[in-house]
Amino acid sequence: VSPSDKSELGLLLYELKMLNQAFPLGYSTKNKYEVNMRLESFLVHARNLICFLEGPWEKDDLRCSDFSDKNKQQIRPISLVLQKDLKQKINKHCQHLTKTRMNEKVGWSVGSIARVINQGMAEFIDQLDKSYPRAIRAELQETLNNFLIVS
């Protein structure tokens, strides 16, 4: 699945929308596979946005420092106040087929994770240079605003 806008900012918008769409889907269904599907979708996009904002990055990863701030400087990594091993837990329980999944149960704080990531994204968007396409910047802001309404 890919965003309709093929720009880097469009890809970022897609990730944020997917995170925020997966968050309120909730876990109202009694079907455990549907619950897991929704949770795993949320966690995949959470991990992607955590990596985007904080790093560390692989060579071809999109990172916040790929973008310029209002002073035409690279945007610096944005630290998120999340559980230190959250990315590792997502990797072990969602991204990779590991034995850890059998022995360790995780209680995911989905609401807290979503809030912290959206706060980091708000900080990123606030710094973003106005030379980036106005329509995508506006849609990013609208996505954040919609999250605030839902949460």
Side-chain angles (χ1 to χ4, degrees):
V1 180
S2 64
S4 57
D5 180 314
K6 301 291 184 189
S7 69
E8 291 175 343
L9 208 53
L11 180 60
L12 185 60
L13 173 61
Y14 170 80
E15 287 296 326
L16 184 60
K17 281 187 166 196
M18 289 299 290
L19 176 88
N20 288 346
Q21 288 297 314
F23 165 70
L25 285 177
Y27 307 100
S28 58
T29 180
K30 292 190 184 344
N31 181 321
K32 70 178 181 178
Y33 295 103
E34 247 182 81
V35 168
N36 286 344
M37 177 184 66
R38 292 171 180 180
L39 176 60
E40 289 175 11
S41 176
F42 172 82
L43 292 171
V44 165
H45 297 289
R47 182 185 177 281
N48 290 348
L49 289 168
I50 292 166
C51 288
F52 169 79
L53 292 167
E54 289 189 324
W57 301 285
E58 297 294 325
K59 186 177 179 178
D60 67 337
D61 285 352
L62 186 62
R63 55 191 84 178
C64 62
S65 60
D66 291 333
F67 295 89
S68 300
D69 66 15
K70 294 169 185 167
N71 298 317
K72 308 292 187 210
Q73 301 295 313
Q74 283 183 328
I75 294 178
R76 294 187 177 279
I78 296 168
S79 292
L80 303 174
V81 182
L82 290 167
Q83 185 179 354
K84 284 198 182 298
D85 62 347
L86 179 63
K87 259 190 337 193
Q88 180 183 0
K89 284 186 177 181
I90 293 171
N91 287 343
K92 294 283 186 188
H93 291 270
C94 184
Q95 300 290 113
H96 304 283
L97 191 57
T98 65
K99 294 175 186 173
T100 302
R101 290 166 100 174
M102 296 183 302
N103 303 320
E104 180 183 291
K105 297 296 175 208
V106 177
W108 302 102
S109 266
V110 174
S112 174
I113 295 167
R115 262 188 307 284
V116 170
I117 292 172
N118 274 272
Q119 288 166 351
M121 288 301 299
E123 187 178 330
F124 169 80
I125 292 165
D126 189 50
Q127 295 179 60
L128 201 56
D129 186 66
K130 301 280 189 249
S131 66
Y132 292 101
R134 187 177 191 275
I136 297 178
R137 286 186 292 112
E139 199 169 348
L140 278 164
Q141 189 61 58
E142 180 183 353
T143 302
L144 286 173
N145 293 343
N146 289 342
F147 170 78
L148 293 172
I149 291 168
V150 171
S151 64

